[in-house]
Amino acid sequence: DPQTGIDVSINYNIIIFDRYGSQIFEISKANDGDVWDGTYEGKEAPKGTYFYVMKYNLDGGAEVTEKGWIQLIR
């Protein structure tokens, strides 16, 4: 995206963890098109707070890592 300087066509990776630190979802350029649908192992994940780690490349190749919390509401 020219406005943000983020080039997701090169590389990105997003991992979602539950409150206990277990990885429950991962998406990257390799599986482009997947989205987390709020499930884990074929069952609805409990509503609540989840942690994410997102890595992506800026134009020019610099890697950025962002971390934060998301709220799953049912």
Side-chain angles (χ1 to χ4, degrees), residues 19 44-50 71-74:
R19 70 175 112 184
E44 286 189 349
K47 65 181 179 180
T49 304
Y50 292 80
Q71 187 72 31
L72 179 61
I73 301 171
R74 299 223 176 263

PDB file of all heavy atoms in Angstrom, residues 19 44-50 71-74:
ATOM      1  N   ARG A  19      -5.406 -17.174  25.860  1.00  0.00           N
ATOM      2  CA  ARG A  19      -4.906 -16.530  27.083  1.00  0.00           C
ATOM      3  C   ARG A  19      -3.848 -17.348  27.816  1.00  0.00           C
ATOM      4  O   ARG A  19      -3.163 -16.851  28.696  1.00  0.00           O
ATOM      5  CB  ARG A  19      -6.049 -16.193  28.019  1.00  0.00           C
ATOM      6  CG  ARG A  19      -6.681 -17.409  28.639  1.00  0.00           C
ATOM      7  CD  ARG A  19      -7.715 -17.027  29.649  1.00  0.00           C
ATOM      8  NE  ARG A  19      -9.019 -17.413  29.145  1.00  0.00           N
ATOM      9  CZ  ARG A  19     -10.140 -17.150  29.741  1.00  0.00           C
ATOM     10  NH1 ARG A  19     -10.126 -16.474  30.853  1.00  0.00           N
ATOM     11  NH2 ARG A  19     -11.271 -17.550  29.240  1.00  0.00           N
ATOM     12  N   GLU A  44     -16.035 -23.732  18.068  1.00  0.00           N
ATOM     13  CA  GLU A  44     -16.014 -22.311  18.381  1.00  0.00           C
ATOM     14  C   GLU A  44     -15.057 -22.041  19.536  1.00  0.00           C
ATOM     15  O   GLU A  44     -15.132 -22.705  20.575  1.00  0.00           O
ATOM     16  CB  GLU A  44     -17.405 -21.811  18.771  1.00  0.00           C
ATOM     17  CG  GLU A  44     -18.355 -21.668  17.612  1.00  0.00           C
ATOM     18  CD  GLU A  44     -19.646 -20.973  18.017  1.00  0.00           C
ATOM     19  OE1 GLU A  44     -19.906 -20.773  19.220  1.00  0.00           O
ATOM     20  OE2 GLU A  44     -20.410 -20.644  17.104  1.00  0.00           O
ATOM     21  N   ALA A  45     -14.165 -21.086  19.333  1.00  0.00           N
ATOM     22  CA  ALA A  45     -13.277 -20.667  20.418  1.00  0.00           C
ATOM     23  C   ALA A  45     -14.110 -19.869  21.425  1.00  0.00           C
ATOM     24  O   ALA A  45     -15.060 -19.182  21.041  1.00  0.00           O
ATOM     25  CB  ALA A  45     -12.141 -19.811  19.864  1.00  0.00           C
ATOM     26  N   PRO A  46     -13.777 -19.964  22.698  1.00  0.00           N
ATOM     27  CA  PRO A  46     -14.544 -19.210  23.699  1.00  0.00           C
ATOM     28  C   PRO A  46     -14.410 -17.709  23.479  1.00  0.00           C
ATOM     29  O   PRO A  46     -13.361 -17.225  23.046  1.00  0.00           O
ATOM     30  CB  PRO A  46     -13.892 -19.600  25.029  1.00  0.00           C
ATOM     31  CG  PRO A  46     -13.038 -20.782  24.752  1.00  0.00           C
ATOM     32  CD  PRO A  46     -12.718 -20.761  23.301  1.00  0.00           C
ATOM     33  N   LYS A  47     -15.489 -16.989  23.769  1.00  0.00           N
ATOM     34  CA  LYS A  47     -15.382 -15.534  23.701  1.00  0.00           C
ATOM     35  C   LYS A  47     -14.358 -15.099  24.725  1.00  0.00           C
ATOM     36  O   LYS A  47     -14.113 -15.786  25.726  1.00  0.00           O
ATOM     37  CB  LYS A  47     -16.725 -14.870  23.934  1.00  0.00           C
ATOM     38  CG  LYS A  47     -17.307 -15.074  25.307  1.00  0.00           C
ATOM     39  CD  LYS A  47     -18.648 -14.404  25.421  1.00  0.00           C
ATOM     40  CE  LYS A  47     -19.217 -14.647  26.818  1.00  0.00           C
ATOM     41  NZ  LYS A  47     -20.508 -14.017  26.986  1.00  0.00           N
ATOM     42  N   GLY A  48     -13.699 -13.991  24.446  1.00  0.00           N
ATOM     43  CA  GLY A  48     -12.691 -13.504  25.365  1.00  0.00           C
ATOM     44  C   GLY A  48     -11.569 -12.792  24.645  1.00  0.00           C
ATOM     45  O   GLY A  48     -11.683 -12.434  23.471  1.00  0.00           O
ATOM     46  N   THR A  49     -10.482 -12.618  25.335  1.00  0.00           N
ATOM     47  CA  THR A  49      -9.338 -11.861  24.836  1.00  0.00           C
ATOM     48  C   THR A  49      -8.278 -12.804  24.292  1.00  0.00           C
ATOM     49  O   THR A  49      -7.953 -13.806  24.917  1.00  0.00           O
ATOM     50  CB  THR A  49      -8.746 -10.998  25.967  1.00  0.00           C
ATOM     51  OG1 THR A  49      -9.776 -10.167  26.502  1.00  0.00           O
ATOM     52  CG2 THR A  49      -7.620 -10.126  25.456  1.00  0.00           C
ATOM     53  N   TYR A  50      -7.749 -12.452  23.137  1.00  0.00           N
ATOM     54  CA  TYR A  50      -6.700 -13.228  22.468  1.00  0.00           C
ATOM     55  C   TYR A  50      -5.546 -12.296  22.135  1.00  0.00           C
ATOM     56  O   TYR A  50      -5.744 -11.107  21.917  1.00  0.00           O
ATOM     57  CB  TYR A  50      -7.246 -13.887  21.193  1.00  0.00           C
ATOM     58  CG  TYR A  50      -8.259 -14.971  21.499  1.00  0.00           C
ATOM     59  CD1 TYR A  50      -9.581 -14.660  21.798  1.00  0.00           C
ATOM     60  CD2 TYR A  50      -7.870 -16.297  21.549  1.00  0.00           C
ATOM     61  CE1 TYR A  50     -10.494 -15.646  22.117  1.00  0.00           C
ATOM     62  CE2 TYR A  50      -8.784 -17.298  21.858  1.00  0.00           C
ATOM     63  CZ  TYR A  50     -10.093 -16.957  22.145  1.00  0.00           C
ATOM     64  OH  TYR A  50     -10.990 -17.938  22.468  1.00  0.00           O
ATOM     65  N   GLN A  71     -10.448  -8.863  20.957  1.00  0.00           N
ATOM     66  CA  GLN A  71     -11.557  -9.376  21.745  1.00  0.00           C
ATOM     67  C   GLN A  71     -12.494 -10.157  20.833  1.00  0.00           C
ATOM     68  O   GLN A  71     -12.999  -9.607  19.855  1.00  0.00           O
ATOM     69  CB  GLN A  71     -12.310  -8.212  22.393  1.00  0.00           C
ATOM     70  CG  GLN A  71     -13.384  -8.607  23.366  1.00  0.00           C
ATOM     71  CD  GLN A  71     -12.819  -9.148  24.676  1.00  0.00           C
ATOM     72  OE1 GLN A  71     -11.754  -8.765  25.118  1.00  0.00           O
ATOM     73  NE2 GLN A  71     -13.545 -10.051  25.290  1.00  0.00           N
ATOM     74  N   LEU A  72     -12.716 -11.432  21.130  1.00  0.00           N
ATOM     75  CA  LEU A  72     -13.663 -12.257  20.394  1.00  0.00           C
ATOM     76  C   LEU A  72     -15.002 -12.162  21.112  1.00  0.00           C
ATOM     77  O   LEU A  72     -15.116 -12.528  22.282  1.00  0.00           O
ATOM     78  CB  LEU A  72     -13.193 -13.715  20.320  1.00  0.00           C
ATOM     79  CG  LEU A  72     -14.111 -14.694  19.600  1.00  0.00           C
ATOM     80  CD1 LEU A  72     -14.310 -14.295  18.141  1.00  0.00           C
ATOM     81  CD2 LEU A  72     -13.566 -16.104  19.702  1.00  0.00           C
ATOM     82  N   ILE A  73     -16.002 -11.653  20.403  1.00  0.00           N
ATOM     83  CA  ILE A  73     -17.332 -11.452  20.969  1.00  0.00           C
ATOM     84  C   ILE A  73     -18.302 -12.377  20.257  1.00  0.00           C
ATOM     85  O   ILE A  73     -18.305 -12.469  19.033  1.00  0.00           O
ATOM     86  CB  ILE A  73     -17.775  -9.981  20.802  1.00  0.00           C
ATOM     87  CG1 ILE A  73     -16.785  -9.065  21.504  1.00  0.00           C
ATOM     88  CG2 ILE A  73     -19.188  -9.780  21.324  1.00  0.00           C
ATOM     89  CD1 ILE A  73     -16.997  -7.599  21.222  1.00  0.00           C
ATOM     90  N   ARG A  74     -19.106 -13.043  20.980  1.00  0.00           N
ATOM     91  CA  ARG A  74     -20.130 -13.931  20.393  1.00  0.00           C
ATOM     92  C   ARG A  74     -21.498 -13.411  20.704  1.00  0.00           C
ATOM     93  O   ARG A  74     -21.787 -12.852  21.682  1.00  0.00           O
ATOM     94  CB  ARG A  74     -19.976 -15.350  20.958  1.00  0.00           C
ATOM     95  CG  ARG A  74     -18.642 -15.942  20.624  1.00  0.00           C
ATOM     96  CD  ARG A  74     -18.838 -17.381  20.205  1.00  0.00           C
ATOM     97  NE  ARG A  74     -17.573 -17.923  19.796  1.00  0.00           N
ATOM     98  CZ  ARG A  74     -17.177 -17.997  18.527  1.00  0.00           C
ATOM     99  NH1 ARG A  74     -17.933 -17.563  17.575  1.00  0.00           N
ATOM    100  NH2 ARG A  74     -16.019 -18.511  18.220  1.00  0.00           N
TER     101      ARG A  74
END
